Amino acid sequence: MSDVLYRALFDDAALFPPGNAPMGEALPAHRGHRASARARHVGPFLVSDARVGELRAVLSREDGDHPPLEVVVTVPGGAGGVAAAVGNVLADPVLRLKGLEVAASPGGTADVTAALDAHLPDDVEGYVEVSREGGAEGIRADLAALAGAGRNAKFRTGGTTADAHPTETELAGTLYTAVELGTPFKCTAGLHHAVRHTTVQGFEQHGFLNVLLATDTLLKGGTAQDAAATLADRDGRALAARAGGLTDAEAEAVRAGFRSFGTCSVTEPLEDLIVLGALTF
């Protein structure tokens, strides 16, 4: 069974809500993931720019030899925080900067991309978090600007309130635009399980398997309505079977568009895939 669709899909966001793991627990757990049979599916360690100093302090107290820790740094403060965030990571040889994720206000992508162009090394991926506040038209304008600048997008797919979760229609429209414009993207928040479901709080949460297959639908010429139907599908076995039917080339095309997503638990989404028969270890 090919696992191309799931390789390095799960960025380790253990430090972030709702997990909020302490640094002293999250870091050794990440080391464990990267040394286990799950390693090929686990992406970099995510840390906010405000906690890079704390991370460096914990790393300085580690015993034994470890390779440089691959990190992606989030910069919620926008363009003004890019230079310091990059400098704080590059200053420490025990860290390896793999990506920077920077929040932008509606229409503010130009400032962020300019900061990334000025400060981000060429071998580091830059992602700009696109605001939902501008609506579909604002999102299209922001994604077009990112496509023109050769930068990637980041979409927020959940949060701690119901309205933080975009509907399947809204998310499908965003994915449609990203695929149409050729803008690679990653997701954050809300993708806690493989398949769309309703939480105990009553939140309608997207499944990461749904998002993968919605991306595939769009790459094959499907409409935003087709993608919305895939996002709304709750039949996990059928979704897993559909994913299992993708060729390696089709899976690679999906992942060239949908790069990864941050999850506060690496094991839970992998366990979902194992239960659905989509992965074996």
Side-chain angles (χ1 to χ4, degrees):
M1 179 185 296
S2 173
D3 65 353
V4 170
L5 194 63
Y6 311 112
R7 290 180 191 170
L9 178 63
F10 310 101
D11 290 343
D12 191 342
L15 297 176
F16 293 81
N20 296 310
M23 186 73 73
E25 294 179 8
L27 179 58
H30 179 75
R31 298 281 200 202
H33 294 317
R34 294 303 293 263
S36 73
R38 300 182 291 272
R40 64 194 294 144
H41 306 295
V42 181
F45 189 69
L46 267 60
V47 60
S48 68
D49 56 349
R51 301 189 69 181
V52 170
E54 179 187 359
L55 174 59
R56 291 172 64 183
V58 172
L59 286 168
S60 71
R61 298 193 294 270
E62 278 192 318
D63 294 326
D65 293 327
H66 295 283
L69 179 70
E70 295 183 344
V71 296
V72 171
V73 178
T74 65
V75 186
V82 169
V86 172
N88 286 340
V89 175
L90 297 184
D92 197 328
V94 301
L95 295 175
R96 181 183 175 198
L97 186 61
K98 294 289 290 183
L100 207 71
E101 302 176 2
V102 188
S105 58
T109 55
D111 290 341
V112 175
T113 55
L116 292 173
D117 290 344
H119 302 289
L120 199 64
D122 291 339
D123 62 345
V124 178
E125 292 275 14
Y127 289 84
V128 180
E129 183 176 332
V130 175
S131 173
R132 295 171 59 209
E133 293 179 9
E137 291 186 5
I139 290 171
R140 171 171 284 276
D142 286 339
L143 289 176
L146 292 178
R151 293 297 180 184
N152 309 313
K154 176 182 173 182
F155 303 138
R156 192 162 290 274
T157 49
T160 57
T161 61
D163 60 4
H165 298 75
T167 65
E168 62 265 29
T169 299
E170 179 187 343
L171 182 56
T174 298
L175 297 179
Y176 178 90
T177 302
V179 170
E180 179 189 26
L181 296 172
T183 308
F185 62 90
K186 69 189 313 182
C187 296
T188 185
L191 299 182
H192 297 293
H193 292 286
V195 179
R196 185 176 178 86
H197 61 284
T198 305
T199 71
V200 294
Q201 298 92 348
F203 300 161
E204 294 298 317
Q205 282 192 337
H206 297 287
F208 64 83
L209 189 55
N210 298 79
V211 178
L212 287 165
L213 291 171
T215 303
D216 175 65
T217 294
L218 294 168
L219 286 168
K220 293 175 177 174
T223 65
Q225 290 76 19
D226 296 328
T230 299
L231 291 174
D233 194 342
R234 296 173 185 252
D235 188 339
R237 292 289 179 181
L239 290 168
R242 180 178 162 189
L246 297 181
T247 65
D248 284 356
E250 289 171 332
E252 287 169 357
V254 170
R255 293 299 309 283
F258 178 17
R259 296 290 182 81
S260 66
F261 71 95
T263 174
C264 63
S265 169
V266 168
T267 56
E268 287 182 4
L270 285 169
E271 287 170 355
D272 276 6
L273 292 176
I274 292 169
V275 170
L276 290 171
L279 267 185
T280 57
F281 288 100

